Amino acid sequence: QVQLVESGGGLVQAGGSLRLSCAASGIPFSLYGAGWYRQAPGKQRESVAAARSDGSTNYADSVKGRFTISRDNAKKMVYLQMNSLKPEDTAVYYCNANLYATAYWGQGTQVTVSS
């Protein structure tokens, strides 16, 4: 059974930091692309950051320079370090693992940034 379990969300003041973690199980994680998405109330889910199986990364323009994605294939983990948080970063953050047409999602973790 495939599972992606996020943790690390919470309430933080603007300018603060949070680190999200995602633990994967049931898949050969090193073969999969991994990423973080977010969905704010009333908005569509959007890609925040991605870490491909070859280690390359990319980021949404809105988080470049503030967020860092990393992965540990041995531990089957993917992380999102979020610094200089802004109120507009408030959303439910989802972990994603993908390989070709197959995608798995975590249950989401709430991040709330107060002004």
Side-chain angles (χ1 to χ4, degrees):
Q1 182 181 0
V2 179
Q3 280 193 313
L4 298 177
V5 180
E6 301 102 334
S7 60
L11 173 65
V12 65
Q13 287 189 331
S17 299
L18 282 174
R19 187 193 193 209
L20 304 183
S21 300
C22 174
S25 60
I27 55 173
F29 182 69
S30 63
L31 301 180
Y32 279 66
W36 289 93
Y37 289 70
R38 67 186 180 187
Q39 187 166 20
K43 295 188 177 182
Q44 289 189 328
R45 190 174 297 190
E46 62 175 357
S47 175
V48 175
R52 300 179 186 86
S53 57
D54 64 3
S56 60
T57 59
N58 64 275
Y59 298 90
D61 287 343
S62 59
V63 306
K64 280 181 181 176
R66 301 188 297 122
F67 290 11
T68 303
I69 188 172
S70 60
R71 59 188 294 166
D72 185 331
N73 289 335
K75 295 182 179 179
K76 295 188 175 183
M77 297 288 294
V78 59
Y79 306 97
L80 186 68
Q81 178 66 43
M82 305 185 294
N83 298 328
S84 302
L85 282 160
K86 303 176 181 180
E88 51 263 44
D89 294 319
T90 295
V92 178
Y93 283 70
Y94 297 90
C95 177
N96 167 276
N98 59 88
L99 180 63
Y100 301 119
T102 300
Y104 299 105
W105 295 91
Q107 81 287 354
T109 185
Q110 177 70 46
V111 172
T112 303
V113 184
S114 64
S115 57

